[in-house]
Amino acid sequence: MKKEKPSHFAETTQFDPRQSRPRLKEGLIQQDTGIFLRIEQGPGAGQVFTLSPGGVYLIGRDGADIALEDEKVSRKHAEIGLYGPGAFLVRDLASTNGTRLNGKRITDKAKLAHWDEIRVGDTVLRFAVVEGSVAVAVS
């Protein structure tokens, strides 16, 4: 049997940003709805991310929309998609350590609801939807 030469395709392939669609940064979320993600446990506990505009948010390490300082979190670990009223999803991006929603491992995507718990690595995030909220300016 003939032994095949190893392919160097992966080493020479370059990413072309024009070939991928940009992540949505605004969606169909009502203006009086506040959507938040809070770090409950892990590095950065207490930090809150505002997701109210809707769209798709990348969870990961450096360079992610929701950047976490957790060594067990992949660079591109998961994403949260906010597509409209009640249309909230979390998707695992084939991460090494997986993503859990309310204690259950998800392999692709799962629907999110108010007060759901998302675990990535050693970090626990709390998803909150506040309807009828009023924006407050801080000076």
Side-chain angles (χ1 to χ4, degrees):
M1 188 170 204
K2 214 176 190 185
K3 190 174 181 181
E4 291 185 32
K5 282 178 114 178
S7 172
H8 296 288
F9 179 75
E11 295 171 8
T12 60
T13 302
Q14 298 222 353
F15 175 69
D16 184 353
R18 297 171 297 174
Q19 297 297 318
S20 65
R21 63 173 210 244
R23 285 186 323 218
L24 186 64
K25 284 299 175 195
E26 58 184 280
L28 304 172
I29 307 302
Q30 295 176 344
Q31 223 171 5
D32 67 341
T33 301
I35 302 176
F36 307 95
L37 198 62
R38 182 177 192 273
I39 301 176
E40 297 279 305
Q41 295 175 16
Q47 186 175 1
V48 177
F49 300 91
T50 301
L51 313 179
S52 299
V56 178
Y57 296 87
L58 177 66
I59 299 172
R61 290 193 316 250
D62 298 328
D65 301 311
I66 301 165
L68 303 175
E69 296 178 23
D70 184 337
E71 291 180 9
K72 292 184 180 176
V73 171
S74 300
R75 199 169 61 79
K76 293 182 178 180
H77 196 103
E79 70 181 14
I80 293 179
L82 309 172
Y83 303 108
F88 313 133
L89 299 173
V90 61
R91 178 187 322 261
D92 182 68
L93 300 176
S95 62
T96 303
N97 293 315
T99 301
R100 295 185 175 277
L101 178 62
N102 299 321
K104 294 183 180 178
R105 187 169 182 153
I106 59 172
T107 54
D108 184 27
K109 61 185 173 184
K111 192 169 182 177
L112 278 173
H114 175 65
W115 222 241
D116 276 349
E117 182 182 280
I118 302 164
R119 177 179 286 272
V120 291
D122 288 331
T123 303
V124 176
L125 303 160
R126 179 74 63 187
F127 181 75
V129 179
V130 181
E131 294 180 0
S133 63
V134 177
V136 177
V138 179
S139 55

